[in-house]
Structures are given as structure tokens and as C-alpha cells.
């Protein structure tokens, strides 16, 4: 599936132009003209990159970028700032908020296509990191003295959808022990419950994954992700 891109610009003509160029490059682009609506959506929907206009009614582009970086869903997404200014103070504020790339106005097709080529690598890495593979692995979650045993319904490089006889509350910090392959030691990581899908099903986000565990997870999942990325993903519980 193509990378998902969200464009946020209070000028609908500018937003539509950017989306049209992104779509012509094979990307799945949509736009919003309300930054407040975008802030709410970015807390619940996953995007591989976001284009944010700097000058918008509150929250402006820099503040919205800061909220994206602080979110649980899109904290690592690629952020492009749309601006007509090249003032160092403005750019410094954007960089501090987590912006990685700039698209300077007036927006032109050739200029944006060049930027797409520059951002292609980071967007592809983000797409792979968030790609889910439908996979059943044994998993144990521990929070304090509470312990749950369950099974993954899907697995990505950043987290998993876990089914057990009940779910920890959203926001809970847990320790995960994940058996990637039968007969191998479990992979351990800190994690956070980012959503409760049903009383017996929760989405977890891996946090603080060490280099050894990260490499092990990548070696196991990447071949499966590359296969799955050419197919329409199945979502067993509508998360």
C-alpha cells in the first residue's frame, strides 16, 4: 500500500495542489484545512509523513509539529513544514518542534517532486516500521505484580495488537516478553498500552527497545513486512 500523507494548510487551493502532486508521485495524500481538526486526527490515525503550513490559526505549524512528536501514534512520522519564510528564527523554532524538511512557497511541481525524492528514504523507513504483519506469537505482559499471557494478532517493528483474557488500561507501562519463534528465548522490551480495542484486546507500543532486541525483531519481521507491503493488510479487530 502507498505511504499515507496528511497535508494541513488553511488555504484549500494550496493544500489541494500539494496533494495532487503527491498523488501523481504514487502517494496516498489527503488534506485538512483546520489545524485543530488535524491535531485531533493525528492523535488517533497513523501517517507516514505530514506536511504542515507554518502560518495557521492556532495551533500553528510549529505547535502542531510539537504535538505530533509528543503523540503516541505519530511520534516518529516524517514532518515537512510549508512556509514562505526563510527567517532563521522561524526555521529554528520549526526544527526545535521536530520538523525535518521544508517546502518553501510558492509551491511548484518540480520543487515538490525534488523534495519527495529527498524524503523518499525516511518515509519508506517509517512505512516499514509501522507496517503490520498478521502473526500469532506468544506474549506475556507484566505491569507491577499483574501479569497477562496472550497472543499477538499482528506485529510491527513498533508494536503489536495483543489478545488476552482482559486488557490493561490505556496508558499502562508494561514489560513485554515476546516469543518470536518456538524454541527461542523471548524478546523483552518496555512498552506502553496505547489503546484498548476490546475488553480482551489492546494495542501496545514498544519503547526503549535495545539494539540487540531491535536487530532481532528486524531480522525476523522485515522479510515478512516486505511481502505484506505488496498486499492489502488485514486487520482482525479493526484497530
Amino acid at each position: 500500500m502507498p505511504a499515507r500523507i496528511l497535508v494541513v494548510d488553511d488555504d484549500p487551493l494550496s493544500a489541494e495542489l500539494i496533494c495532487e502532486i503527491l498523488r501523481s508521485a504514487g502517494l496516498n495524500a489527503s488534506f485538512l484545512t483546520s489545524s485543530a481538526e488535524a491535531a485531533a486526527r493525528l492523535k488517533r490515525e497513523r501517517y507516514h509523513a505530514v506536511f504542515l503550513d507554518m502560518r495557521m490559526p492556532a495551533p500553528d505549524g510549529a505547535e502542531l509539529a510539537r504535538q505530533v512528536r509528543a503523540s503516541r501514534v505519530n511520534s516518529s512520522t516524517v514532518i515537512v513544514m510549508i512556509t514562505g519564510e526563510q527567517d532563521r528564527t522561524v526555521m529554528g523554532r520549526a526544527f526545535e518542534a521536530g520538523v525535518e524538511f521544508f517546502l518553501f512557497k510558492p509551491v511548484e511541481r518540480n520543487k515538490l517532486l525534488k523534495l519527495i525524492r529527498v524524503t523518499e528514504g525516511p518515509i519508506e523507513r517509517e512505512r516499514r516500521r509501522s507496517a503490520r504483519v498478521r502473526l500469532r506469537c506468544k506474549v506475556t505482559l507484566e505491569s507491577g505484580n499483574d501479569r497477562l499471557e496472550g497472543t499477538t494478532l499482528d506485529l510491527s517493528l513498533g508494536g503489536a495488537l495483543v489478545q488476552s483474557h482482559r486488557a490493561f488500561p490505556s496508558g499502562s507501562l508494561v514489560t513485554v516478553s515476546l516469543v518470536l519463534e518456538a524454541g527461542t528465548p523471548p524478546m523483552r522490551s518496555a512498552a506502553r498500552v496505547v489503546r484498548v480495542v476490546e475488553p480482551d484486546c489492546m494495542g501496545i507500543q514498544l519503547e526503549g527497545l535495545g539494539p540487540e532486541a531491535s536487530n532481532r525483531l528486524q531480522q525476523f519481521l522485515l522479510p515478512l513486512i516486505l511481502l505484506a507491503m505488496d498486499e492489502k493488510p488485514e486487520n482482525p479487530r479493526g484497530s
Side-chain angles (χ1 to χ4, degrees):
M1 298 291 287
R4 293 188 73 208
I5 315 295
L6 179 66
V7 178
V8 187
D9 192 329
D10 59 343
D11 180 350
L13 294 179
S14 175
E16 180 57 49
L17 172 62
I18 293 170
C19 281
E20 187 275 323
I21 298 171
L22 292 173
R23 291 171 191 142
S24 74
L27 301 170
N28 178 8
S30 59
F31 72 88
L32 291 173
T33 56
S34 166
S35 57
E37 184 180 350
R41 181 178 296 185
L42 287 163
K43 289 179 181 178
R44 64 178 188 271
E45 292 187 27
R46 177 75 177 165
Y47 290 92
H48 303 110
V50 291
F51 284 63
L52 309 176
D53 186 41
M54 184 66 178
R55 299 296 183 187
M56 293 187 291
D60 67 6
E63 176 56 31
L64 188 53
R66 188 172 291 108
Q67 291 181 26
V68 171
R69 285 287 176 251
S71 72
R72 296 172 184 170
V73 179
N74 290 292
S75 60
S76 60
T77 194
V78 176
I79 301 179
V80 179
M81 185 65 74
I82 309 165
T83 180
E85 306 173 63
Q86 297 192 33
D87 180 86
R88 289 186 178 181
T89 302
V90 173
M91 295 180 70
R93 181 171 171 243
F95 277 126
E96 288 177 1
V99 172
E100 298 161 284
F101 301 96
F102 287 85
L103 174 62
F104 292 103
K105 296 181 178 180
V107 175
E108 300 171 356
R109 180 177 293 272
N110 288 340
K111 190 190 311 183
L112 179 49
L113 289 175
K114 287 180 181 178
L115 178 62
I116 291 170
R117 288 195 290 272
V118 172
T119 60
E120 185 177 13
I123 289 175
E124 180 64 14
R125 284 194 294 272
E126 184 63 15
R127 190 165 78 103
R128 290 185 182 184
R129 197 190 78 83
S130 62
R132 297 179 180 183
V133 178
R134 188 171 183 177
L135 197 62
R136 290 188 172 272
C137 298
K138 291 183 178 179
V139 62
T140 301
L141 305 180
E142 297 178 80
S143 178
N145 295 324
D146 202 354
R147 174 187 173 99
L148 294 178
E149 293 185 356
T151 305
T152 63
L153 298 179
D154 65 38
L155 185 62
S156 74
L157 294 172
L161 187 63
V162 177
Q163 185 175 29
S164 185
H165 65 278
R166 59 182 173 87
F168 285 121
S170 181
S172 298
L173 294 174
V174 298
T175 300
V176 178
S177 296
L178 177 65
V179 179
L180 296 175
E181 297 178 279
T184 63
M187 185 199 78
R188 292 180 61 84
S189 173
R192 183 185 299 272
V193 177
V194 293
R195 65 192 183 282
V196 175
V197 180
E198 293 184 10
D200 64 345
C201 190
M202 62 196 132
I204 63 168
Q205 178 176 295
L206 300 175
E207 298 183 349
L209 197 62
E212 183 178 345
S214 179
N215 288 337
R216 185 179 169 194
L217 184 60
Q218 288 186 49
Q219 290 175 8
F220 174 73
L221 265 188
L222 276 179
L224 301 174
I225 288 173
L226 293 175
L227 289 174
M229 283 171 66
D230 291 329
E231 303 173 357
K232 185 177 180 180
E234 296 181 74
N235 196 331
R237 300 299 285 267
S239 63

